[in-house]
Amino acid sequence: MLDYVSEKIHDESRQGEAFLTISDPQKQYKKRFYIESYGCAMNFADSEIVASILSTEGFGSTSNIEEADLILINTCSIREKAEQTIRKRLTEFKKIKQKNKGMMVGILGCMAERLKSNLLEEEKLVDIVVGPDAYRSLPGLIMEAEDGQKAVNVLLSREETYADIAPVRLSSNGVNAFVSIMRGCNNMCSFCVVPFTRGRERSRDAESIFKESKDLFENGYREITLLGQNVDSYYFVDEVNDCIVNFASLLKKVAAISPLLRIRFSTSHPKDITDDVLFAMIDHENICRHIHLPVQSGNTRILQLMNRTYTREWYKSKVDRIRELVPDCSITSDLISGFCTEEEQDHKDTLSIMEYSQYDLSYMYFYSERPGTLAEKRYNDDVPESVKKSRLQEIVLLQNKLSLASNKKDIGKIFKVLIEGDSKKSDTDWKGKTSQNKVIVFPKENFLLEKGDYIKVKVFDCTQATLFGKIEIA
Ligand code: SAM
Ligand code: SF4
Ligand code: F3S
């Protein structure tokens, strides 16, 4: 149950969203693909690259799995449970495939990279295996699979950023979009599989990021999230303009597109976030007041074992600095309970750093050992699952309390809200977000507004997850 709770609230465990149809009903397509995505925002952004590559090759998309010629599943390996979910889905696809002659199944993303051609052998679940850096080869692999060949490309690259590919916005509300600014990760946190599934870190051409963001704005989008596993280490040598672009300068460049375009970014590593990033936020009202600053653990010894390269004190000083320079900034985190050798007192340190940091929200997990990671090779996964889960429960309960307290502090305040669409429960209410990334719901009343508009809203009530407000006209 707990696992479910934590998985459910974590953005990075978005479960198998199938995308909307992007095809033109008038057009004749070579084949139709159906794509389902799991995992983090980067995976969802990658599915939009894949859709772009396939549509250039004459493929159309469908949201009806039964009418697809090709089922694609973009996968995540971050925890064992994520992989189990995908295996279950693959067996369901196998049944659909048996009913539809000629249908093929392709596995993309991190699990494809981790398991490579084993996936073709195992129970014949898939026909095509493509890792995150090999999507350009997908059309060729589809042809190979049609010819009955083994279609696998899991080569990782040091250069690939898909900079020149304009993503096809698949399940977009037309207001928010992801923009990938880098790929891979060099950090080698000992628990994490990402450096193995996504390869070395590389930054995308700054000009192409600027252009994609500007195009989005010109097409009506009002909020972009710059994505990377470690955005603060963005580093691009711009030979055309003879300059170095770091993350702070990239933020400023993108923020200058228009004051009406909100900029978010994720994820920040506590060791890399600089004062310059905070100064960029101060100077640009449209860089959102929210930093996702995962702590993972509040105990210095555990942090060392995790290879996070900062201490409890260093982390606290980063929180202090954010509070000092950007006082209205929300801070969110990722937390892992029950990492190797964690004692009760270490866990208490995690609870106390949560209190210290007053997180507005956290994504919370219990430790799941991943094959091939440094932790798997070096340490014993020695905390019993029941202890991992009961510690996670304490973390979740504390976070619920902190989230509610943070939202209660907003009651009576007025926020500039970007309208994202109708609220889930009623089409007479709007749903939007504050700069701090909090969801706010408020009645439409008789105002002529539409999604993508900004409006001032005064908060009068809240739950731990949502603010409730009323439009403020003054
Ligand atoms: N790059 C980001 C960072 O450093 O914070 C996050 C990357 S990871 C995709 C998202 C989160 O998953 C991590 O912050 C961590 O809390 C969690 N995670 C990663 N590996 C895990 C594991 N083996 N078991 C449990 N949680 C894990
Ligand atoms: Fe994984 Fe650490 Fe890289 Fe984040 S920074 S992706 S947790 S190795
Ligand atoms: Fe999962 Fe890969 Fe993202 S392992 S969290 S999809 S980078």
Side-chain angles (χ1 to χ4, degrees), residues 10 12 40 78-79 185 187 189 191-194 228-230 267-269 294 296 308 334-336 363 365-370:
H10 199 325
E12 277 161 0
C40 65
I78 201 83
R79 285 166 289 277
C185 184
N187 278 336
C189 300
F191 52 79
C192 184
V193 79
V194 173
Q229 294 297 355
N230 189 10
T267 298
S268 292
H269 195 296
Q296 314 297 357
R308 288 291 287 181
D334 292 352
L335 296 145
I336 300 178
Y363 301 119
Y365 315 97
F366 63 82
Y367 174 57
S368 162
E369 186 178 75
R370 305 310 292 130

Side-chain angles (χ1 to χ4, degrees), residues 27-218:
K27 221 172 137 184
Q28 280 293 314
Y29 290 100
K30 202 152 84 178
K31 285 194 182 303
R32 285 189 182 266
F33 69 94
Y34 165 95
I35 188 162
E36 219 172 81
S37 297
Y38 293 76
C40 65
M42 302 215 63
N43 243 18
F44 282 72
D46 277 4
S47 291
E48 301 187 329
I49 303 263
V50 169
S52 176
I53 292 170
L54 290 180
S55 58
T56 314
E57 291 290 320
F59 286 74
S61 75
T62 174
S63 52
N64 177 0
I65 195 163
E66 299 282 349
E67 75 175 32
D69 304 293
L70 173 66
I71 302 176
L72 295 172
I73 182 162
N74 197 354
T75 60
C76 175
S77 287
I78 201 83
R79 285 166 289 277
E80 196 184 347
K81 187 160 175 282
E83 288 199 357
Q84 281 166 358
T85 309
I86 286 155
R87 279 185 188 283
K88 204 166 141 242
R89 199 64 185 127
L90 284 173
T91 34
E92 287 162 12
F93 290 166
K94 194 174 174 180
K95 287 189 199 128
I96 300 173
K97 208 176 124 178
Q98 277 158 357
K99 285 192 286 171
N100 297 275
K101 230 175 161 275
M103 189 186 247
M104 290 192 300
V105 175
I107 182 164
L108 317 175
C110 292
M111 199 173 157
E113 189 62 49
R114 198 179 82 71
L115 297 170
K116 306 189 169 44
S117 56
N118 296 348
L119 283 161
L120 286 180
E121 323 297 332
E122 257 181 69
E123 306 161 51
K124 305 248 174 307
L125 285 176
V126 298
D127 307 286
I128 304 166
V129 182
V130 197
D133 285 347
Y135 295 143
R136 286 181 203 266
S137 66
L138 187 54
L141 291 169
I142 295 169
M143 279 162 60
E144 284 174 27
E146 279 170 346
D147 289 346
Q149 297 174 47
K150 281 190 180 176
V152 185
N153 188 347
V154 287
L155 285 177
L156 286 173
S157 157
R158 281 178 181 257
E159 285 95 35
E160 181 62 273
T161 58
Y162 301 110
D164 56 315
I165 296 179
V168 171
R169 306 289 162 188
L170 285 165
S171 62
S172 171
N173 61 1
V175 179
N176 321 84
F178 293 133
V179 176
S180 280
I181 64 164
M182 56 210 293
R183 298 182 72 81
C185 184
N186 285 354
N187 278 336
M188 293 307 233
C189 300
S190 64
F191 52 79
C192 184
V193 79
V194 173
F196 305 96
T197 60
R198 295 239 158 204
R200 305 292 293 170
E201 181 185 290
R202 66 224 95 120
S203 296
R204 176 179 167 190
D205 181 323
E207 215 42 54
S208 78
I209 297 170
F210 178 79
K211 187 177 171 305
E212 185 178 327
S213 308
K214 193 158 178 287
D215 286 350
L216 283 164
F217 178 70
E218 283 163 3

Side-chain angles (χ1 to χ4, degrees), residues 270 272-282 291 293 312-331 356-357:
D272 292 318
I273 188 165
T274 59
D275 276 2
D276 281 348
V277 168
L278 303 179
F279 291 136
M281 293 173 80
I282 298 169
I291 297 178
L293 195 71
R312 175 183 173 88
E313 293 313 317
W314 168 278
Y315 185 91
K316 283 166 71 181
S317 70
K318 282 288 166 191
V319 170
D320 293 346
R321 192 69 177 149
I322 295 168
R323 301 267 182 243
E324 180 192 341
L325 293 180
V326 200
D328 58 344
C329 189
S330 65
I331 303 181
Y356 186 89
S357 310

